[in-house]
């Protein structure tokens, strides 16, 4: 036997996270909205009536552990597949194993990594009741799990551990490692773990192995600077981006800058954030303050040239300006209304007086006749002139609100429309 085999045989201690893994459902820390008295999963365990489900939540909240405990508590064999490493062959083997053992729980970790065909392979067996299907994913099942499979499984959302729940784990970890974690040191570990239970216990184990008194400085020295859990292409990113957009739209500069910093701190690309601010300037501020779009363009160009961290100040200033600017979605609504009408109405002919007349024939046909050149009219406005196709003269797409510059635009449009009405009546 090799030296490494001897060491293994001698009993290398399992990682702390593995040693403290719950052995029963009632030992699970967190997820009381699912496991508390009378809650859906605790009731399923009590009645031994486990249903197919998708466990959706961030890393380190115990999806795999919970799936295993649910199977054990229900008296069912547990068959695990990793969608990262597995394929159709593994699915077939799991199905065959379930047939041999009788009803079982088939657990698929990272189920979103299976393609449509692979996910479809579970359908007839879930339908027949051969096994209870449990999938785990960090991604939104609505987008990443086939509708057919999703319709046969209930989605349960797992949450990051609260600070109190993390402290429970911290105490258990410290006791298991025989160390003392005072307030500041514990706080440093909690901040570094960022709600991830497995990461927290791994961190406790790492800082405790040296035998030195655990201080915040030691935590930083051993673990390095904290990196928040952040998936640049996943739900966490899009949820935060949504919170940022809604904070700006809601004119809350403090929330806007908070979510901007959260995303930058998590490693979000500043170019993506600058593009979102361009959209906000056009959609939510609009003509209430046209400078917002100009400033957002300038911020995007500044970040493009400077990058991080210097260019982040330009993004912050743009976010704050957008948040405090007067808001109007009148332009957005006008575009939406015009598109809807054009799609439903079809192609009406251009009124004859608005047509170009580059040839003698076009002039003979009346193209451009009766057109009034606005600059030759009082106040450069040809009162009574019609510009919409026949039958659409009464349509109104753009209705400015009474905020910012649009208040002045609204007043001007009222005057122009009154002049049009008087001219047409006369």
């Amino acid at each position: 036997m090799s030296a490494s085999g001897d060491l293994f045989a001698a009993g290398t201690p399992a990682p702390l996270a593995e040693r403290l893994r719950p052995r029963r459902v009632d030992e699970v820390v967190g997820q009381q909205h699912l496991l508390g008295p009378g809650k859906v999963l605790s009731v399923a365990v009590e009645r031994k009536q486990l249903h197919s489900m998708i466990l959706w939540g961030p890393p380190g909240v115990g999806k795999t552990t919970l799936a295993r405990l649910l199977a054990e508590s229900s008296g069912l064999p547990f068959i695990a597949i990793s969608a990262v490493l597995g394929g159709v062959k593994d699915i077939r083997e799991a199905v065959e194993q379930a047939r041999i053992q009788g009803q079982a729980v088939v657990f698929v970790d990272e189920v979103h990594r299976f393609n449509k065909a692979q996910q479809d392979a579970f359908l007839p067996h879930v339908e027949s009741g051969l096994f209870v299907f449990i999938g785990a994913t960090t991604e939104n099942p609505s987008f990443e799990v086939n509708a057919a499979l999703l319709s046969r499984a209930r989605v349960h959302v797992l949450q990051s551990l609260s600070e109190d729940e993390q402290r429970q784990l911290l105490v258990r970890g410290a006791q298991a490692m025989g160390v003392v974690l005072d307030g500041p040191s514990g706080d440093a570990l909690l901040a570094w773990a960022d709600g991830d239970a497995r990461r927290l216990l791994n961190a406790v184990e790492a800082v405790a192995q040296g035998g030195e008194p655990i201080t915040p400085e030691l935590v930083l020295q051993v673990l390095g600077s904290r990196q928040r859990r952040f998936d640049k292409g996943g739900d966490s990113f899009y949820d935060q981006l949504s919170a940022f957009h809604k904070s700006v739209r809601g004119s809350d500069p403090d929330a806007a800058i908070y979510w901007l910093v959260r995303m930058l701190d998590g490693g979000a690309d500043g170019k993506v954030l600058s593009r979102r601010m361009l959209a906000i300037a056009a959609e939510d501020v609009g003509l209430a303050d046209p400078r917002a779009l100009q400033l957002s363009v300038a911020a995007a160009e500044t970040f493009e040239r400077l990058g991080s961290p210097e260019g982040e100040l330009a993004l912050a200033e743009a976010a704050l300006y957008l948040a405090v600017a007067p808001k109007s979605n009148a332009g957005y609504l006008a575009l939406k209304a015009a598109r809807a009408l054009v799609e439903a109405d079809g192609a009406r002919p251009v009124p004859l007086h608005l047509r170009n007349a580059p040839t003698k024939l076009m002039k003979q046909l009346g193209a451009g006749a009766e057109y009034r050149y606005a600059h030759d009219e009082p106040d450069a406005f040809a009162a009574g002139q019609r510009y919409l196709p026949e039958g659409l003269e009464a349509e109104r797409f753009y209705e400015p609100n009474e905020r910012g510059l649009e208040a002045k635009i609204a007043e001007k449009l009222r005057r122009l429309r009154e002049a049009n009405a008087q001219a047409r009546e006369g």
Side-chain angles (χ1 to χ4, degrees):
M1 183 178 288
S2 68
S4 60
D6 289 334
L7 286 173
F8 184 78
T12 302
L16 180 62
E18 180 61 32
R19 282 182 275 151
L20 295 185
R21 188 183 293 273
R23 302 294 183 242
R24 301 191 312 272
V25 171
D26 59 10
E27 293 179 355
V28 173
V29 175
Q31 316 310 328
Q32 290 306 295
H33 62 295
L34 298 173
L35 299 173
K39 300 302 182 180
V40 58
L41 292 184
S42 64
V43 171
V45 169
E46 289 169 6
R47 297 177 180 176
K48 296 188 182 301
Q49 294 178 346
L50 209 56
H51 53 270
S52 292
M53 69 187 77
I54 303 291
L55 300 178
W56 173 28
V61 295
K63 295 185 289 295
T64 302
T65 297
L66 180 57
R68 187 181 295 276
L69 292 177
L70 289 173
E72 292 175 358
S73 299
S74 301
L76 297 175
F78 185 78
I79 303 169
I81 303 174
S82 171
V84 177
L85 304 174
V88 173
K89 178 176 178 290
D90 300 89
I91 296 173
R92 289 172 180 161
E93 290 177 356
V95 170
E96 186 60 30
Q97 193 175 346
R99 284 201 177 99
I100 295 172
Q101 296 184 1
Q103 190 182 36
V105 168
V106 173
F107 172 71
V108 181
D109 195 18
E110 306 280 357
V111 65
H112 60 275
R113 295 183 182 273
F114 270 156
N115 61 34
K116 182 180 185 301
Q118 291 168 324
Q119 291 184 26
D120 284 347
F122 292 104
L123 293 177
H125 310 296
V126 174
E127 195 76 34
S128 69
L130 176 64
F131 54 72
V132 175
F133 174 85
I134 301 182
T137 180
T138 57
E139 302 297 324
N140 190 331
S142 300
F143 304 124
E144 302 297 339
V145 178
N146 288 354
L149 184 56
L150 201 57
S151 69
R152 292 164 173 79
R154 297 170 63 178
V155 176
H156 298 304
V157 180
L158 274 63
Q159 301 169 352
S160 295
L161 300 188
S162 68
E163 183 174 334
D164 288 341
E165 291 164 349
Q166 290 180 76
R167 289 191 184 280
Q168 291 180 41
L169 281 181
L170 190 66
V171 170
R172 293 185 189 179
Q175 291 174 344
M177 296 300 297
V179 297
V180 175
L181 289 170
D182 61 13
S185 300
D187 291 344
L189 285 166
L190 293 180
W192 191 86
D194 195 27
D196 185 324
R198 180 171 54 244
R199 192 177 186 192
L200 175 62
L201 293 175
N202 288 341
V204 171
E205 184 173 30
V207 299
Q209 286 178 340
E212 305 173 48
I214 299 175
T215 63
E217 293 73 23
L218 180 66
V219 171
L220 181 62
Q221 177 185 338
V222 173
L223 302 176
S225 61
R226 65 186 180 188
Q227 294 293 320
R228 298 196 181 278
R229 290 179 302 164
F230 192 84
D231 182 356
K232 299 178 189 178
D235 296 313
S236 175
F237 170 69
Y238 289 110
D239 286 344
Q240 291 182 29
L241 193 61
S242 174
F244 170 69
H245 192 148
K246 290 178 173 66
S247 299
V248 175
R249 179 185 291 151
S251 298
D252 189 331
D254 300 306
I257 198 72
Y258 169 80
W259 290 115
L260 179 71
V261 171
R262 274 286 302 273
M263 290 185 286
L264 290 171
D265 180 60
D269 187 348
K271 295 177 185 177
V272 174
L273 304 182
S274 67
R275 287 197 292 270
R276 176 53 64 102
M277 283 191 277
L278 289 170
I280 293 171
E283 177 184 342
D284 295 295
V285 178
L287 293 179
D289 186 351
R291 294 170 299 182
L293 187 56
Q294 297 170 359
L295 190 142
S296 298
V297 170
E301 292 176 348
T302 301
F303 184 83
E304 182 77 26
R305 295 185 182 186
L306 295 181
S308 293
E310 292 86 352
E312 292 172 4
L313 178 58
L315 299 182
E317 290 176 352
L320 293 171
Y321 189 96
L322 291 170
V324 300
K327 303 298 189 295
S328 172
N329 70 340
Y332 168 77
L333 294 177
L335 178 62
K336 183 178 179 181
R339 277 180 171 161
L341 178 65
V342 168
E343 182 178 353
D345 187 65
R348 297 190 183 223
V350 176
L352 199 59
H353 67 282
L354 297 181
R355 297 185 192 182
N356 196 18
T359 67
K360 184 176 179 180
L361 175 61
M362 294 299 294
K363 289 179 181 179
Q364 290 175 347
L365 294 174
E370 301 182 10
Y371 171 68
R372 293 157 56 196
Y373 187 56
H375 293 286
D376 291 339
E377 303 279 341
D379 296 324
F381 179 66
Q385 180 89 72
R386 298 181 186 275
Y387 298 97
L388 282 166
E390 185 177 353
L392 299 181
E393 294 90 349
E395 289 292 336
R396 294 285 182 269
F397 303 112
Y398 177 52
E399 294 291 349
N401 63 38
E402 300 295 334
R403 292 184 291 275
L405 178 63
E406 276 204 329
K408 296 182 178 180
I409 295 174
E411 176 57 33
K412 179 177 180 179
L413 282 180
R414 278 192 290 269
R415 287 190 284 104
L416 297 181
R417 286 169 179 172
E418 287 173 4
N420 271 333
Q422 291 173 3
R424 289 164 186 168
E425 287 173 2

